[in-house]
Protein backbone atom coordinates (compact mmCIF):
# COMPACT_ATOMS: atom_id res chain seq x y z
CA UNK A 1 0.00 0.00 0.00
CA UNK A 2 1.32 3.43 -0.93
CA UNK A 3 1.28 6.18 1.72
CA UNK A 4 -1.38 8.87 1.43
CA UNK A 5 1.15 11.44 2.66
CA UNK A 6 4.92 11.10 2.47
CA UNK A 7 7.27 13.72 3.93
CA UNK A 8 10.73 13.13 2.50
CA UNK A 9 13.94 14.70 3.86
CA UNK A 10 12.25 18.01 4.68
CA UNK A 11 14.45 20.95 5.69
CA UNK A 12 12.87 24.21 6.87
CA UNK A 13 14.74 27.27 8.14
CA UNK A 14 13.71 30.66 9.52
CA UNK A 15 16.09 33.40 8.51
CA UNK A 16 16.62 36.31 10.87
CA UNK A 17 18.83 39.37 10.57
CA UNK A 18 21.80 37.70 12.22
CA UNK A 19 20.95 34.02 12.62
CA UNK A 20 19.17 31.20 10.83
CA UNK A 21 17.00 28.85 12.89
CA UNK A 22 17.01 25.32 11.47
CA UNK A 23 13.50 24.24 12.44
CA UNK A 24 13.47 20.95 10.49
CA UNK A 25 16.51 18.99 9.37
CA UNK A 26 15.84 15.98 7.18
CA UNK A 27 12.43 15.09 8.61
CA UNK A 28 10.70 12.13 6.92
CA UNK A 29 7.46 10.40 7.82
CA UNK A 30 4.49 8.67 6.17
CA UNK A 31 0.77 8.52 6.80
CA UNK A 32 -1.12 5.61 5.24
CA UNK A 33 -4.82 5.55 4.35
CA UNK A 34 -7.09 5.10 7.36
CA UNK A 35 -4.38 5.21 10.04
CA UNK A 36 -3.56 7.55 12.91
CA UNK A 37 0.01 8.79 13.05
CA UNK A 38 1.10 10.79 16.11
CA UNK A 39 3.90 13.32 15.93
CA UNK A 40 5.28 13.67 19.47
CA UNK A 41 7.78 16.00 21.10
CA UNK A 42 8.37 19.00 23.32
CA UNK A 43 7.35 22.51 22.33
CA UNK A 44 9.73 23.93 19.74
CA UNK A 45 10.79 20.59 18.28
CA UNK A 46 9.25 21.31 14.85
CA UNK A 47 5.95 19.41 14.98
CA UNK A 48 3.72 22.30 13.95
CA UNK A 49 6.25 23.60 11.40
CA UNK A 50 6.05 20.29 9.57
CA UNK A 51 2.24 20.45 9.55
CA UNK A 52 2.14 24.02 8.25
CA UNK A 53 4.64 23.01 5.57
CA UNK A 54 2.21 20.39 4.31
CA UNK A 55 -0.49 23.00 3.77
CA UNK A 56 1.91 25.61 2.42
CA UNK A 57 0.94 28.19 5.03
CA UNK A 58 4.31 28.92 6.61
CA UNK A 59 5.11 32.66 6.61
CA UNK A 60 7.53 33.23 3.70
CA UNK A 61 9.75 35.04 4.60
CA UNK A 62 11.14 34.34 7.18
CA UNK A 63 10.39 30.64 6.61
CA UNK A 64 12.09 28.82 3.77
CA UNK A 65 11.82 25.20 2.65
CA UNK A 66 15.39 24.52 1.56
CA UNK A 67 15.15 20.83 0.69
CA UNK A 68 12.80 17.87 0.51
CA UNK A 69 9.46 16.77 -0.89
CA UNK A 70 5.90 16.52 0.44
CA UNK A 71 3.99 13.93 -1.57
CA UNK A 72 0.22 13.77 -1.14
CA UNK A 73 -1.73 11.29 -3.26
CA UNK A 74 1.39 11.06 -5.41
CA UNK A 75 1.72 14.82 -6.05
CA UNK A 76 4.49 17.01 -4.63
CA UNK A 77 2.79 19.83 -2.75
CA UNK A 78 6.01 21.86 -2.70
CA UNK A 79 5.98 22.12 -6.49
CA UNK A 80 2.35 23.29 -6.68
CA UNK A 81 1.37 26.89 -7.35
CA UNK A 82 -1.02 28.73 -5.04
CA UNK A 83 -4.11 27.74 -7.05
CA UNK A 84 -3.17 24.07 -6.80
CA UNK A 85 -2.57 24.32 -3.05
CA UNK A 86 -5.86 26.16 -2.57
CA UNK A 87 -7.65 23.24 -4.19
CA UNK A 88 -6.02 20.83 -1.70
CA UNK A 89 -6.46 22.91 1.47
CA UNK A 90 -9.80 22.34 3.16
CA UNK A 91 -10.75 19.90 0.41
CA UNK A 92 -8.39 16.90 0.43
CA UNK A 93 -6.40 17.99 3.51
CA UNK A 94 -7.96 19.81 6.46
CA UNK A 95 -6.49 21.06 9.73
CA UNK A 96 -7.87 21.41 13.24
CA UNK A 97 -5.88 24.00 15.17
CA UNK A 98 -4.94 24.04 18.84
CA UNK A 99 -7.00 26.98 20.09
CA UNK A 100 -10.41 27.31 18.42
CA UNK A 101 -11.15 30.73 19.89
CA UNK A 102 -8.24 32.24 17.96
CA UNK A 103 -8.92 30.13 14.84
CA UNK A 104 -12.63 30.94 14.54
CA UNK A 105 -13.56 34.38 13.26
CA UNK A 106 -15.48 36.18 16.04
CA UNK A 107 -17.62 38.26 13.64
CA UNK A 108 -19.04 35.38 11.57
CA UNK A 109 -21.54 32.75 12.66
CA UNK A 110 -20.56 29.12 13.00
CA UNK A 111 -22.72 28.31 9.99
CA UNK A 112 -20.93 30.89 7.84
CA UNK A 113 -17.55 29.51 8.78
CA UNK A 114 -18.38 25.84 8.24
CA UNK A 115 -19.98 26.70 4.91
CA UNK A 116 -16.92 28.61 3.67
CA UNK A 117 -15.11 25.45 2.51
CA UNK A 118 -18.26 24.19 0.77
CA UNK A 119 -18.63 27.46 -1.13
CA UNK A 120 -14.98 27.29 -2.17
CA UNK A 121 -14.84 23.62 -3.22
CA UNK A 122 -18.38 22.45 -3.96
CA UNK A 123 -21.10 23.63 -6.33
CA UNK A 124 -23.98 23.84 -3.85
CA UNK A 125 -26.81 26.30 -3.32
CA UNK A 126 -27.30 27.97 0.07
CA UNK A 127 -30.07 25.63 1.14
CA UNK A 128 -27.88 22.59 0.47
CA UNK A 129 -24.95 24.24 2.29
CA UNK A 130 -27.18 24.92 5.31
CA UNK A 131 -28.34 21.29 5.41
CA UNK A 132 -24.78 20.02 5.05
CA UNK A 133 -23.53 22.27 7.87
CA UNK A 134 -26.30 21.11 10.21
CA UNK A 135 -25.52 17.49 9.32
CA UNK A 136 -21.82 18.04 10.07
CA UNK A 137 -22.62 19.48 13.50
CA UNK A 138 -24.82 16.47 14.24
CA UNK A 139 -21.97 14.17 13.13
CA UNK A 140 -19.60 15.75 15.66
CA UNK A 141 -22.13 15.52 18.48
CA UNK A 142 -23.09 19.19 18.71
CA UNK A 143 -26.35 19.72 20.65
CA UNK A 144 -29.08 21.75 18.89
CA UNK A 145 -27.15 22.02 15.61
CA UNK A 146 -29.66 24.33 13.92
CA UNK A 147 -29.28 26.85 16.73
CA UNK A 148 -25.49 26.53 16.80
CA UNK A 149 -25.32 27.44 13.10
CA UNK A 150 -26.68 30.87 14.02
CA UNK A 151 -24.39 31.32 17.03
CA UNK A 152 -21.10 33.19 17.14
CA UNK A 153 -17.94 31.58 18.57
CA UNK A 154 -18.17 33.45 21.90
CA UNK A 155 -21.58 31.86 22.50
CA UNK A 156 -20.12 28.34 22.51
CA UNK A 157 -18.19 26.49 25.20
CA UNK A 158 -14.59 25.40 24.58
CA UNK A 159 -15.65 21.85 23.72
CA UNK A 160 -18.37 23.10 21.38
CA UNK A 161 -15.94 25.41 19.60
CA UNK A 162 -13.57 22.51 19.05
CA UNK A 163 -16.43 20.40 17.68
CA UNK A 164 -17.27 23.26 15.32
CA UNK A 165 -13.62 23.30 14.16
CA UNK A 166 -13.76 19.56 13.50
CA UNK A 167 -17.02 20.02 11.57
CA UNK A 168 -15.29 22.69 9.45
CA UNK A 169 -12.41 20.31 8.77
CA UNK A 170 -14.78 17.53 7.67
CA UNK A 171 -16.97 19.72 5.44
CA UNK A 172 -15.50 18.47 2.14
CA UNK A 173 -14.78 14.88 3.26
CA UNK A 174 -10.98 15.22 3.29
CA UNK A 175 -8.70 12.21 2.98
CA UNK A 176 -6.36 13.58 5.67
CA UNK A 177 -7.05 15.60 8.81
CA UNK A 178 -4.15 17.26 10.62
CA UNK A 179 -4.97 17.88 14.28
CA UNK A 180 -2.50 20.20 16.02
CA UNK A 181 -2.91 19.61 19.78
CA UNK A 182 -6.70 20.03 19.50
CA UNK A 183 -7.42 19.06 23.12
CA UNK A 184 -4.70 21.04 24.93
CA UNK A 185 -7.01 23.87 26.03
CA UNK A 186 -9.85 21.55 27.11
CA UNK A 187 -10.56 19.90 30.43
CA UNK A 188 -10.02 16.16 30.80
CA UNK A 189 -13.65 15.05 30.30
CA UNK A 190 -14.04 17.12 27.11
CA UNK A 191 -10.65 15.89 25.93
CA UNK A 192 -11.85 12.29 26.16
CA UNK A 193 -15.01 13.18 24.22
CA UNK A 194 -12.99 14.79 21.41
CA UNK A 195 -10.62 11.79 21.18
CA UNK A 196 -13.59 9.41 21.05
CA UNK A 197 -15.08 11.61 18.34
CA UNK A 198 -11.93 11.34 16.20
CA UNK A 199 -11.95 7.55 16.57
CA UNK A 200 -15.62 7.34 15.65
CA UNK A 201 -15.16 9.57 12.60
CA UNK A 202 -12.24 7.46 11.41
CA UNK A 203 -14.28 4.27 11.74
CA UNK A 204 -17.21 5.78 9.85
CA UNK A 205 -15.38 7.79 7.20
CA UNK A 206 -12.04 6.00 6.83
CA UNK A 207 -10.02 9.21 6.98
CA UNK A 208 -6.34 9.41 7.92
CA UNK A 209 -5.31 11.42 10.97
CA UNK A 210 -2.00 13.16 11.64
CA UNK A 211 -2.20 14.03 15.33
CA UNK A 212 0.36 16.46 16.76
CA UNK A 213 0.83 16.45 20.52
CA UNK A 214 3.24 16.46 23.45
CA UNK A 215 0.81 14.41 25.57
CA UNK A 216 1.81 10.74 25.64
CA UNK A 217 -1.42 9.88 27.45
CA UNK A 218 -3.35 11.00 24.37
CA UNK A 219 -0.94 9.15 22.07
CA UNK A 220 -1.49 5.88 23.95
CA UNK A 221 -5.22 6.11 23.26
CA UNK A 222 -5.25 6.81 19.53
CA UNK A 223 -1.92 6.09 17.77
CA UNK A 224 -1.26 3.37 15.22
CA UNK A 225 2.27 4.62 14.60
CA UNK A 226 4.38 7.23 16.39
CA UNK A 227 7.17 9.58 15.29
CA UNK A 228 9.13 11.12 18.17
CA UNK A 229 10.70 14.47 17.26
CA UNK A 230 13.54 16.26 18.97
CA UNK A 231 15.20 19.52 17.88
CA UNK A 232 13.90 19.33 14.33
CA UNK A 233 14.76 15.67 13.61
CA UNK A 234 12.97 12.34 13.97
CA UNK A 235 14.57 10.65 16.99
CA UNK A 236 12.54 7.43 16.80
CA UNK A 237 9.57 5.96 15.01
CA UNK A 238 7.61 2.74 15.16
CA UNK A 239 4.27 1.20 15.97
CA UNK A 240 2.60 2.37 19.16
CA UNK A 241 3.32 -0.82 21.11
CA UNK A 242 6.99 -0.67 20.09
CA UNK A 243 7.43 2.91 21.26
CA UNK A 244 5.63 2.38 24.56
CA UNK A 245 7.04 -1.04 25.45
CA UNK A 246 10.46 -1.08 23.73
CA UNK A 247 11.69 2.52 23.33
CA UNK A 248 15.07 2.59 21.61
CA UNK A 249 16.15 6.22 22.05
CA UNK A 250 17.18 7.84 25.37
CA UNK A 251 14.86 10.77 24.69
CA UNK A 252 11.85 8.50 24.17
CA UNK A 253 12.80 6.56 27.29
CA UNK A 254 12.99 9.81 29.25
CA UNK A 255 9.58 10.96 28.03
CA UNK A 256 7.97 7.67 29.02
CA UNK A 257 9.74 7.61 32.39
CA UNK A 258 8.28 11.04 33.16
CA UNK A 259 4.68 9.77 32.96
CA UNK A 260 3.09 9.85 36.44
CA UNK A 261 1.86 6.27 36.19
CA UNK A 262 5.41 4.99 35.73
CA UNK A 263 6.77 6.58 38.90
CA UNK A 264 6.35 4.76 42.19
CA UNK A 265 3.97 6.56 44.55
CA UNK A 266 5.78 8.93 46.90
CA UNK A 267 8.83 9.39 44.66
CA UNK A 268 9.58 12.51 42.59
CA UNK A 269 8.58 12.41 38.94
CA UNK A 270 11.40 11.68 36.54
CA UNK A 271 12.57 14.62 34.43
CA UNK A 272 15.03 15.05 31.56
CA UNK A 273 17.74 17.48 32.58
CA UNK A 274 18.25 20.58 30.44
CA UNK A 275 16.13 22.12 27.68
CA UNK A 276 15.56 21.73 23.95
CA UNK A 277 18.36 23.59 22.12
CA UNK A 278 17.71 26.88 20.34
CA UNK A 279 17.14 26.05 16.63
CA UNK A 280 19.65 28.76 15.73
CA UNK A 281 22.36 27.28 17.97
CA UNK A 282 22.05 23.52 17.83
CA UNK A 283 24.93 21.46 19.21
CA UNK A 284 27.22 19.57 16.87
CA UNK A 285 26.66 15.83 16.57
CA UNK A 286 23.54 14.30 18.12
CA UNK A 287 21.21 17.15 19.13
CA UNK A 288 20.22 15.27 22.29
CA UNK A 289 23.75 14.59 23.58
CA UNK A 290 23.91 17.58 26.04
CA UNK A 291 20.96 16.06 27.93
CA UNK A 292 21.77 12.38 27.44
CA UNK A 293 23.20 10.19 30.23
CA UNK A 294 24.47 7.66 27.66
CA UNK A 295 26.38 10.13 25.47
CA UNK A 296 29.81 9.04 24.28
CA UNK A 297 32.54 11.16 22.63
CA UNK A 298 31.29 10.28 19.13
CA UNK A 299 27.83 11.61 20.02
CA UNK A 300 29.32 15.07 20.41
CA UNK A 301 30.76 15.18 16.90
CA UNK A 302 28.85 12.78 14.63
CA UNK A 303 25.19 13.18 13.64
CA UNK A 304 23.63 9.71 14.10
CA UNK A 305 21.77 7.76 11.44
CA UNK A 306 18.53 5.91 12.17
CA UNK A 307 19.32 2.41 13.42
CA UNK A 308 16.97 -0.37 12.27
CA UNK A 309 15.54 -2.44 15.13
CA UNK A 310 13.35 -4.48 12.79
CA UNK A 311 9.65 -4.40 11.88
CA UNK A 312 9.94 -0.76 10.76
CA UNK A 313 11.08 0.36 14.21
CA UNK A 314 14.01 2.81 13.93
CA UNK A 315 15.82 5.06 16.39
CA UNK A 316 18.63 7.59 16.03
CA UNK A 317 20.88 6.20 18.77
CA UNK A 318 23.86 4.03 17.76
CA UNK A 319 24.95 3.70 21.41
CA UNK A 320 21.86 1.76 22.46
CA UNK A 321 21.92 -0.18 19.19
CA UNK A 322 25.56 -1.25 19.62
CA UNK A 323 25.01 -2.13 23.28
CA UNK A 324 22.06 -4.32 22.31
CA UNK A 325 24.07 -6.11 19.62
CA UNK A 326 26.93 -6.68 22.04
CA UNK A 327 24.54 -8.19 24.61
CA UNK A 328 22.95 -10.40 21.96
CA UNK A 329 26.30 -11.78 20.83
CA UNK A 330 27.66 -12.28 24.37
Amino acid sequence: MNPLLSIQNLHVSFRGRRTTARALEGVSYDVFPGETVCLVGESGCGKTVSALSILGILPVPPAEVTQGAILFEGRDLLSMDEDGLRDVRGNRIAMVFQEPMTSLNPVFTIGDQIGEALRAHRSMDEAAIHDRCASLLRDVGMPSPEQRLRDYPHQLSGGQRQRAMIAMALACDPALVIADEPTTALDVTIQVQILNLFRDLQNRKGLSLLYITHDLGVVAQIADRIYVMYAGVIAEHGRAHQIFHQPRHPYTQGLLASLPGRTRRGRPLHSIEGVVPDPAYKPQGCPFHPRCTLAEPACRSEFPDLCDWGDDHKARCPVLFQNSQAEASA
Side-chain angles (χ1 to χ4, degrees):
M1 181 187 299
N2 293 325
L4 177 69
L5 174 74
S6 182
I7 311 294
Q8 300 177 358
N9 194 34
L10 186 64
H11 291 250
V12 176
S13 296
F14 288 81
R15 297 189 181 278
R17 291 183 179 179
R18 299 177 180 173
T19 61
T20 297
R22 295 167 289 155
L24 299 180
E25 294 189 282
V27 166
S28 299
Y29 58 85
D30 297 325
V31 181
F32 287 87
E35 77 166 347
T36 297
V37 169
C38 284
L39 208 55
V40 182
E42 294 172 83
S43 296
C45 72
K47 306 185 300 295
T48 297
V49 171
S50 75
L52 298 181
S53 300
I54 295 168
L55 293 172
I57 54 177
L58 283 173
V60 180
E64 181 183 9
V65 178
T66 58
Q67 189 177 337
I70 300 176
L71 303 180
F72 177 71
E73 296 181 327
R75 299 179 295 169
D76 188 357
L77 299 182
L78 294 180
S79 66
M80 285 186 179
D81 58 18
E82 184 58 30
D83 288 339
L85 284 172
R86 194 177 295 116
D87 185 58
V88 172
R89 292 189 206 113
N91 186 17
R92 299 299 296 154
I93 303 176
M95 188 161 183
V96 180
F97 292 93
Q98 179 174 351
E99 177 45 68
M101 200 56 195
T102 58
S103 301
L104 292 168
N105 192 318
V107 300
F108 288 96
T109 66
I110 296 300
D112 286 335
Q113 296 184 65
I114 297 175
E116 183 177 1
L118 296 171
R119 295 183 183 95
H121 299 292
R122 298 289 186 270
S123 298
M124 301 171 66
D125 60 32
E126 287 302 313
I129 289 175
H130 179 275
D131 291 343
R132 171 66 173 160
C133 291
S135 176
L136 286 164
L137 288 182
R138 278 192 289 271
D139 284 347
V140 299
M142 183 77 82
S144 306
E146 292 285 349
Q147 174 59 45
R148 298 289 85 78
L149 289 177
R150 299 189 293 272
D151 285 345
Y152 291 87
H154 74 273
Q155 295 175 278
L156 305 184
S157 68
Q160 288 174 335
R161 287 194 290 266
Q162 197 58 278
R163 289 176 189 271
M165 288 290 295
I166 296 170
M168 289 172 62
L170 297 174
C172 294
D173 291 319
L176 172 67
V177 172
I178 302 171
D180 187 4
E181 307 220 35
T183 61
T184 298
L186 305 176
D187 64 47
V188 174
T189 56
I190 302 301
Q191 182 182 88
V192 171
Q193 292 175 17
I194 296 299
L195 293 177
N196 288 337
L197 173 60
F198 274 122
R199 275 197 295 264
D200 179 58
L201 290 169
Q202 276 193 289
N203 291 335
R204 289 191 283 120
K205 297 179 179 292
L207 57 83
S208 299
L209 179 63
L210 176 59
Y211 198 100
I212 298 170
T213 185
H214 64 274
D215 189 337
L216 288 170
V218 169
V219 173
Q221 297 181 57
I222 65 172
D224 295 313
R225 292 189 303 116
I226 300 169
Y227 288 82
V228 180
M229 289 191 68
Y230 183 80
V233 302
I234 300 296
E236 181 172 3
H237 70 83
R239 299 187 182 280
H241 68 87
Q242 294 169 330
I243 299 298
F244 277 96
H245 299 294
Q246 294 179 313
R248 302 299 191 181
H249 193 283
Y251 177 61
T252 312
Q253 294 174 347
L255 290 178
L256 292 171
S258 67
L259 292 174
R262 300 199 176 200
T263 300
R264 187 173 299 175
R265 185 180 294 274
R267 292 189 176 182
L269 290 175
H270 173 81
S271 64
I272 303 173
E273 296 294 330
V275 296
V276 177
D278 186 326
Y281 301 99
K282 292 184 182 180
Q284 188 177 358
C286 174
F288 187 63
H289 86 255
R291 307 175 68 186
C292 183
T293 58
L294 301 178
E296 297 183 352
C299 301
R300 297 172 174 83
S301 58
E302 300 174 12
F303 183 77
D305 293 326
L306 284 166
C307 300
D308 191 347
W309 290 86
D311 196 22
D312 201 31
H313 183 191
K314 297 182 179 181
R316 206 177 292 277
C317 183
V319 174
L320 279 177
F321 188 71
Q322 291 163 6
N323 290 348
S324 175
Q325 288 186 317
E327 290 175 3
S329 60

